[in-house]
Amino acid sequence: MIVTKYHHEGQFPDLPALLTQLDGLLRSGEYILSAPVEQFEEDFAAYVGTRHTVGVNSGTDALVLALRALSVGPGHEVITVANTFHASALAITSVGARPALVDCTPDDFLMDLDRVEAAINEKTRAILAVHLFGKALDMDRLRDIADRHGLAVVEDCAQAVGARWAGRRVGSFGDAGCFSFHPSKNLAAAGDAGAVTTDRADIADALRVLRGLGQRTQNNHVVRGYNSKLDAVQALVLRHKLSRLDAWNDRRRELAARYSQDLSPHAAVPPPAGEEHVFHLYQVAVPGRDAVLAGLTAAGIEAIVRYPVPIHRQPAFADLSLGQSFPNAEHQAANTLCLPIHPDLTTAELTYVIDRFNEAAATTRGAHR
């Protein structure tokens, strides 16, 4: 049996209706910032619970443009977590600022909020809060820290679309919430796409100018902007899927509960769950991780490691002296892997993954006795 990270067969319910819409769009020629984009922006803002959504080309662009809109730039520092995806730190450096890293916690591997306040100094301009693997940070506490120090908050929601903290969806707490709709994500485009959510009219206005080459009106370039627009094809795909997202996330929680119940308790340390988690990834800690991963790969299971090299050890950031003491991030990088989890995963596939994982973990455990 072959079990892959992603299936896309079930991602297009009522495909004929979508194809009819796409046919009409392609014949119209209205591909850039047209009605489908505006309609998706309205629907997504309502879903997240914000006043505005601004569609952009990718999740990375969402982060860059959000930081620019908040006037983060050279001479500033932005606090973020050491075990995030490369794009979180890349966006900070792309606007000329410096990432100030803090470690993650040892249990859910989210940003350790106990360490955030100590990282704040006179250069700190913002906190980039990463909702990693599908689980939301404690945004009440993080928002309190930021407000007391006069800092902006940017939420990196790339892996957590639909997740909630205290009943509110991620992307509604910060000055800006940044989303990726890469084909791997819980809400997946048919290509790359992203969006920024915000309650602030000034930020929404700045984002719209920035994404359109810095133009406020045609040929009136008021800032040095970007060419980063959500195209209408992707907006149609995303709007078609949005109403199904919560059901898909419910299925991910069901799969995660089964994993947590049936994985060998002698080898696996499952991630913390909860009804707010949307399980973009099912991250599990296991002794002898690389050997277990090799066993799963040999069995046709597309397990992956996220992320094997923390930000402070990435060669791209070597000149920034980001620090060396992030033991929990290092532990996650060396000891965790992600098992396949997506709404199309069948019961038979799930059972197969669990059985092969337990076998590989037992073999690895026995070899190290």
Side-chain angles (χ1 to χ4, degrees):
M1 182 181 289
I2 305 297
V3 183
T4 61
K5 299 192 294 271
Y6 318 117
H7 285 185
H8 295 285
E9 293 88 342
Q11 287 284 301
F12 292 97
D14 194 16
L15 183 58
L18 175 60
L19 292 176
T20 298
Q21 290 179 304
L22 290 170
D23 178 76
L25 173 64
L26 293 174
R27 292 177 188 278
S28 76
E30 297 292 330
Y31 308 140
I32 305 296
L33 297 184
S34 53
V37 174
E38 294 172 1
Q39 289 163 356
F40 172 71
E41 289 176 337
E42 290 177 6
D43 289 353
F44 195 69
Y47 177 81
V48 172
T50 56
R51 293 186 178 89
H52 308 278
T53 290
V54 179
V56 295
N57 188 58
S58 68
T60 303
D61 281 3
L63 292 166
V64 173
L65 269 64
L67 291 168
R68 275 285 308 274
L70 288 161
S71 300
V72 177
H76 297 149
E77 290 189 356
V78 178
I79 296 170
T80 196
V81 70
N83 64 322
T84 186
F85 179 55
H86 176 78
S88 305
L90 176 64
I92 296 168
T93 61
S94 292
V95 300
R98 181 180 183 276
L101 302 181
V102 297
D103 206 358
C104 58
T105 66
D107 50 0
D108 60 14
F109 301 115
L110 298 182
M111 178 187 286
D112 187 343
L113 298 185
D114 288 340
R115 300 173 185 268
V116 169
E117 209 139 12
I120 296 172
N121 59 43
E122 68 280 359
K123 295 181 179 180
T124 308
R125 183 71 178 228
I127 302 173
L128 199 161
V130 185
H131 305 295
L132 206 55
F133 311 131
K135 191 172 190 297
L137 270 169
D138 180 341
M139 290 306 297
D140 290 330
R141 186 177 174 201
L142 188 140
R143 187 80 247 191
D144 176 68
I145 294 170
D147 290 347
R148 282 190 286 105
H149 291 274
L151 303 176
V153 173
V154 176
E155 295 178 75
D156 184 341
C157 310
Q159 297 187 7
V161 60
R164 293 183 176 92
W165 172 259
R168 285 175 57 186
R169 295 195 196 275
V170 299
S172 67
F173 293 90
D175 297 276
C178 300
F179 292 83
S180 169
F181 305 122
H182 182 275
S184 66
K185 299 300 190 283
N186 292 30
L187 180 62
D192 224 336
V196 184
T197 55
T198 184
D199 276 332
R200 292 178 54 178
D202 61 326
I203 297 302
D205 178 68
L207 288 165
R208 293 188 179 104
V209 171
L210 285 167
R211 75 175 174 183
L213 296 167
Q215 295 183 110
R216 185 161 295 285
T217 57
Q218 187 71 28
N219 296 319
N220 178 27
H221 298 263
V222 295
V223 295
R224 297 176 186 174
Y226 304 81
N227 186 8
S228 182
K229 310 177 193 80
L230 175 63
D231 72 66
V233 170
Q234 301 305 339
L236 277 181
V237 171
L238 292 166
R239 191 167 185 245
H240 181 76
K241 292 181 173 186
L242 182 58
S243 64
R244 284 87 171 179
L245 177 59
D246 286 344
W248 287 335
N249 284 342
D250 286 342
R251 175 60 177 161
R252 287 175 178 270
R253 280 187 281 268
E254 292 173 2
L255 295 167
R258 173 79 190 282
Y259 272 141
S260 296
Q261 173 184 299
D262 291 347
L263 293 179
S264 169
H266 302 294
V269 181
E275 64 178 0
E276 315 286 353
H277 202 316
V278 297
F279 287 99
H280 171 62
L281 298 171
Y282 186 89
Q283 182 94 334
V284 59
V286 56
R289 189 272 312 278
D290 291 344
V292 173
L293 180 62
L296 293 173
T297 301
I301 296 168
E302 202 173 0
I304 54 174
V305 175
R306 293 281 190 266
Y307 297 99
V309 183
I311 293 299
H312 62 291
R313 296 197 181 280
Q314 291 286 353
F317 304 123
D319 62 317
L320 298 180
S321 301
L322 297 180
Q324 299 296 319
S325 182
F326 305 103
N328 294 329
E330 298 277 5
H331 175 80
Q332 183 228 310
N335 293 280
T336 65
L337 58 82
C338 298
L339 298 176
I341 188 165
H342 49 77
D344 291 339
L345 196 69
T346 67
T347 300
E349 289 172 328
L350 180 67
T351 300
Y352 181 76
V353 174
I354 290 168
D355 290 346
R356 299 295 83 77
F357 177 92
N358 288 340
E359 289 170 3
T363 299
T364 301
R365 189 168 65 250
H368 287 85
R369 284 177 178 170

